[in-house]
Amino acid sequence: MPTSVEDLINPGVDDVIADSKLHGNIDPAQDQTMVLNMGPQHPSTHGVLRVVLEVDGESVVALAPDIGYLHTGIEKTCEAKFYQQVVPLTDRIDYLCPMTNNLTYCLAVEKLLQLEIPERAQYLRVLLNELTRLNSHLVWLGTHAMDIGALTVFLYCFREREEILRIFEMVAGQRMMTSYFRIGGLSMEPPIDFYDRVRNFLKIMPEKIAEYENLLTGNPIWMGRLKDVGHLSAADAIALGVTGPPLRASGVDWDLRRDMPYSGYEKFKFDVPVSQVGDVWARYEVRMKEMYESVKIATQALEGLPDGRITADAPKIILPDREQMKTQMESLIHHFKIVTEGFAVPAGQVYQGVESPRGEMGYFVVSDGTAKPFRVHMRNPSFATLQALETMCKGRLLADVVAVIGSIDIVLGEIDR
Amino acid sequence: MLSLVRSLWEVFRHTFARRVTVQYPEQKAYLSPRYRGRIVLTRDPDGGERCVACNLCAVACPVACISLQATEDEHGRRYPEFFRINFSRCIFCGYCEEACPTYAIQLTPDCEMGEYKRQNLVYEKTDLMIDGPGKYPDYNFWRVAGVAIGGKDKGQAENELPPVDTHSLMP
C-alpha cells in the first residue's frame, strides 16, 4: 500500500498499482485507503492526463500525475529540420496558443542571429499574441466552468473564440496551426480588412467578458466550488517552478511581459493583476482581469501600429520579395539558397522566455553553426504547474481535484511534446 | 440571489440573440482567401503547366510529403513527369506555396478532403492540376523567363533585350 508521496512517485505509478490493494495481499485491518485511477480518458483532465489518486473515503491522501500519453517527439524532430521548418512544429506543441510558441521560437533564433526586427512586425506580433492569450483564456474559462457544471459559459466563450480564430484564419490562413511568424519577421502582410475586424472585436470584447462574469462571479455554486480550494502558497509556487496566472494568484508579482520585456512589450501600458489568496478562485480572478489587460494591450498595439517593413533587413535569412524575385537574379538565387540549404546560425546557445497564457514558455536552442538546430528544448509552463497539483489537492475532496486541474489550465500537448 | 437573477436574465436575453451556429453540411462556413487547404497545381494564362519541376516545394516541405520527377518536352520546356502529394502526411503549412518560384503550387480554401481509404489521399498530378491560373491570373513564367523554348528564342521574352553578339565590335 502506498503510504507516502515518495512511494507513489518513485517506483513509477504503475508499480504502485501493482503493489497496491488492486492485487490483494493487504491486511484488511490496515486497509483504509483506495487507489483510484482518473483518466487518461476522463473529460475533466483536459486531454490525456492520468492521475493516480489514493483516497480515504472522499478525501485525497496522495496523488501522482502520469504523463506521456501525448508524446509526439517534437523536440527530437526539430533536430532534423532546417531552422525555418521548425516553425510549423512549434504550433503543435500548445494548440491553444500557437502564436506564442511561434513567437518564442522565432525570438530565440533571432537572438542567436542578432536580427533587428522592425517595429511594425513587433507590434503585430504583440497584437496577435494578446489575441492568442484571449483565445486561450476563453477555452480555459469555458472548460473550467464546464467541469464545475456551468455549460452555458462554455458556449458563450466559444462564440468569441470563433471570432478570434476567424481573425487568425484571415491573417495566417489557418485557425489553429497558424505558422504565421517567421524567423526575422512575419510571413506576409495582414489583409486590408484585418484592422477593422480586430478593432470591432476588441470593442465588443470587454462587455463579453462582463457577460461571463455575470454568469459566474456572484454565483453561489461557483463560489462554493472555487473559494478556499486548492491553496498554493507563494513559497511553494516558487519552489515548484510555477509561473503565469497560478503564480500571480499566489501573490508573486511576476510577469515576463513587464519584468523581462521582449518583442517591444516595454512600450505598452498594462497592469499585472495579482491576488494574495492563492486558491482556485484567485486564479479565476487573475485570469479574468488578465483578459481585460490583453484587450488593452491589443488595442494599444492596433492603434499605435507603425508603418514600415514586416521583415528584418537580412536577405540571406528572409525569403526575398516576390516582385523583386521576378526581376532580380540575386533575389532568385537567395530564394533558392534559403529554401534548399536553409541558413547557417552562428554556434551558441540561447534561451528565450515568453509569458504565454499559461506561464513562462521558454525555448532553449543550441546551434552548432549549421542550418539545422543541434537541440531545441522547450520549457513548458504546464509541466511545472502540474507538479504543484499534489500540493494543491492533498487533504481535499476528490471533487476538488477537478476544480484544481481546471484552474491550472494545463495543455497536455505542451507537457509531453 | 441577485447574481442568480442576473445569470437567468443573461441567458434569457441570449434566447433572442442572433444565432452564431453554422449548420455545417447544408450551410458552408466562410473560408478566407488565404485559407491553407487542398493544394492545387495551376496553369499559366496560355493553358500550359506552370510547374517547372525545380523541386523547391519538395525541399521546403517540413514533412516531405511532395515527390516529383522532372523531365523536358521536345521544346526544352521542363515539367514534372509525375507530381505526387501525400495528403495523409501534409500539414498544410503553406511552405510549398511560399517556396514555388512560378506560382504553380497553391493552397486553396477547401478543407473537405475526407476519404474512406487512406490510399486515396495520395494525389497524383491529374488530381492536383486545375484548369486555371489560381490566385495569380496574369503571371506567365515562360513568357518572362530568359530560357529558350519552342516558339520563343533567346531575347524574345517580355522585358528582355536581344542577346549581345560577343564576336562583334559594334555597340
Side-chain angles (χ1 to χ4, degrees):
Chain A
M1 183 182 108
T3 48
S4 69
V5 192
E6 281 68 33
D7 284 0
L8 261 175
I9 295 166
N10 286 341
V13 270
D14 289 312
D15 296 345
V16 172
I17 290 177
D19 293 344
S20 73
K21 53 210 63 190
L22 298 179
H23 294 266
N25 304 333
I26 287 167
D27 179 14
Q30 300 278 312
D31 196 6
Q32 295 290 316
T33 60
M34 181 174 78
V35 172
L36 195 67
N37 186 45
M38 184 172 162
Q41 308 294 355
H42 195 283
S44 79
T45 52
H46 295 244
V48 280
L49 168 68
R50 174 171 166 234
V51 182
V52 182
L53 297 144
E54 190 191 344
V55 286
D56 180 4
E58 258 204 275
S59 53
V60 177
V61 177
L63 169 163
D66 183 17
I67 59 169
Y69 288 94
L70 212 59
H71 181 67
T72 43
I74 286 180
E75 277 186 7
K76 190 71 190 165
T77 315
C78 291
E79 293 166 19
K81 311 263 176 238
F82 290 137
Y83 276 95
Q84 73 266 33
Q85 287 179 328
V86 173
V87 176
L89 283 173
T90 62
D91 289 333
R92 285 152 176 84
I93 289 163
D94 185 343
Y95 43 82
L96 292 183
C97 55
M99 294 276 195
T100 315
N101 281 279
N102 289 174
L103 176 69
T104 323
Y105 173 72
C106 289
L107 284 176
V109 180
E110 282 158 9
K111 231 186 208 177
L112 271 176
L113 288 163
Q114 297 178 330
L115 279 185
E116 188 82 26
I117 308 302
E119 216 175 27
R120 182 180 171 79
Q122 287 190 353
Y123 270 59
L124 279 167
R125 282 173 168 192
V126 167
L127 170 62
L128 289 164
N129 259 282
E130 291 310 318
L131 286 179
T132 309
R133 191 180 314 277
L134 281 171
N135 165 24
S136 174
H137 279 5
L138 283 172
V139 177
W140 155 78
L141 180 64
T143 50
H144 186 30
M146 194 167 62
D147 289 345
I148 306 291
L151 187 73
T152 321
V153 188
F154 175 79
L155 298 173
Y156 292 1
C157 286
F158 268 60
R159 180 189 56 192
E160 269 70 64
R161 179 177 184 252
E162 178 67 22
E163 181 59 24
I164 298 180
L165 292 184
R166 289 267 168 86
I167 290 171
F168 284 176
E169 186 190 307
M170 176 189 230
V171 64
Q174 227 158 56
R175 295 155 61 87
M176 285 172 82
M177 302 303 149
T178 49
S179 308
Y180 182 57
F181 300 161
R182 290 287 183 278
I183 294 161
L186 307 172
S187 66
M188 46 190 156
E189 188 74 39
I192 306 162
D193 44 351
F194 166 76
Y195 307 100
D196 280 337
R197 191 141 186 191
V198 176
R199 194 169 290 123
N200 290 339
F201 173 73
L202 293 174
K203 216 175 279 170
I204 59 154
M205 193 57 202
E207 52 190 86
K208 299 290 181 191
I209 306 171
E211 220 167 72
Y212 317 140
E213 290 205 276
N214 263 350
L215 290 174
L216 291 175
T217 303
N219 188 308
I221 305 170
W222 181 251
M223 293 206 298
R225 287 296 303 275
L226 263 61
K227 280 200 169 163
D228 293 326
V229 170
H231 270 286
L232 185 67
S233 68
D236 280 347
I238 293 171
L240 288 161
V242 174
T243 47
L247 181 71
R248 290 191 285 275
S250 295
V252 183
D253 193 3
W254 179 252
D255 188 319
L256 289 181
R257 288 175 293 172
R258 186 199 57 200
D259 301 320
M260 291 167 75
Y262 52 87
S263 191
Y265 262 108
E266 64 276 5
K267 293 171 201 138
F268 299 96
K269 285 194 179 61
F270 59 98
D271 300 322
V272 178
V274 179
S275 168
Q276 301 297 329
V277 189
D279 58 357
V280 175
W281 177 266
R283 275 165 232 145
Y284 162 72
E285 269 192 326
V286 164
R287 284 208 182 86
M288 291 310 272
K289 284 183 192 150
E290 242 183 56
M291 276 160 67
Y292 288 111
E293 297 303 320
S294 284
V295 174
K296 252 200 242 167
I297 301 172
T299 314
Q300 286 173 42
L302 186 67
E303 300 310 332
L305 192 66
D307 287 333
R309 293 167 57 96
I310 52 159
T311 49
D313 185 18
K316 290 198 188 301
I317 292 161
I318 292 142
L319 289 181
D321 183 55
R322 299 298 300 208
E323 294 307 312
Q324 277 182 17
M325 231 172 84
K326 289 177 195 165
T327 50
Q328 296 174 6
M329 197 61 210
E330 294 76 16
S331 292
L332 193 64
I333 292 171
H334 276 138
H335 182 87
F336 267 74
K337 292 280 268 187
I338 294 169
V339 173
T340 52
E341 293 170 3
F343 46 84
V345 172
Q349 40 185 308
V350 72
Y351 175 81
Q352 173 68 47
V354 156
E355 188 73 26
S356 99
R358 267 160 282 287
E360 181 180 343
M361 181 77 214
Y363 273 64
F364 179 62
V365 180
V366 183
S367 168
D368 54 359
T370 59
K372 290 175 181 176
F374 180 75
R375 177 86 169 95
V376 179
H377 174 71
M378 295 109 187
R379 189 265 178 217
N380 307 97
S382 299
F383 186 74
T385 317
L386 187 63
Q387 292 182 82
L389 189 63
E390 190 179 18
T391 321
M392 290 190 265
C393 295
K394 220 169 175 181
R396 303 292 314 186
L397 293 181
L398 185 53
D400 292 342
V401 177
V402 173
V404 172
I405 292 177
S407 79
I408 59 176
D409 188 21
I410 43 167
V411 164
L412 267 295
E414 188 181 68
I415 290 173
D416 294 338
R417 64 209 182 266
Chain B
M1 190 61 208
L2 185 71
S3 80
L4 284 183
V5 175
R6 212 164 43 203
S7 302
L8 277 174
W9 168 247
E10 195 69 70
V11 176
F12 178 73
R13 209 167 55 82
H14 272 84
T15 45
F16 302 104
R18 197 173 57 85
R19 299 274 184 282
V20 287
T21 314
V22 178
Q23 299 295 335
Y24 165 60
E26 290 81 27
Q27 202 185 335
K28 295 276 190 267
Y30 171 77
L31 297 177
S32 70
R34 273 189 191 182
Y35 191 84
R36 302 198 304 257
R38 182 170 54 89
I39 300 174
V40 293
L41 283 175
T42 57
R43 291 174 187 276
D44 54 32
D46 299 343
E49 264 178 62
R50 258 183 185 157
C51 180
V52 294
C54 69
N55 276 300
L56 272 199
C57 49
V59 189
C61 181
V63 291
C65 72
I66 305 176
S67 67
L68 65 150
Q69 169 78 57
T71 185
E72 266 182 25
D73 69 1
E74 65 271 26
H75 304 302
R77 187 173 158 145
R78 272 169 68 99
Y79 70 99
E81 195 179 344
F82 67 82
F83 197 105
R84 195 172 292 143
I85 298 183
N86 185 351
F87 277 111
S88 58
R89 268 180 163 245
C90 179
I91 57 169
F92 300 97
C93 61
Y95 273 36
C96 47
E97 187 180 16
E98 219 173 87
C100 183
T102 64
Y103 295 138
I105 193 163
Q106 292 177 16
L107 279 80
T108 56
D110 174 19
C111 57
E112 294 166 335
M113 299 179 64
E115 292 281 358
Y116 283 104
K117 276 189 187 157
R118 203 167 273 206
Q119 196 56 42
N120 294 346
L121 282 169
V122 180
Y123 280 39
E124 296 292 338
K125 202 164 118 180
T126 46
D127 309 316
L128 295 165
M129 191 66 85
I130 61 166
D131 281 339
K135 297 177 201 171
Y136 307 93
D138 303 323
Y139 186 70
N140 190 337
F141 171 73
W142 293 105
R143 289 279 129 227
V144 290
V147 64
I149 51 162
K152 189 200 83 174
D153 213 349
K154 279 261 182 216
Q156 288 179 347
E158 286 165 25
N159 306 323
E160 195 188 13
L161 297 172
V164 178
D165 182 2
T166 47
H167 297 291
S168 157
L169 285 173
M170 297 300 286

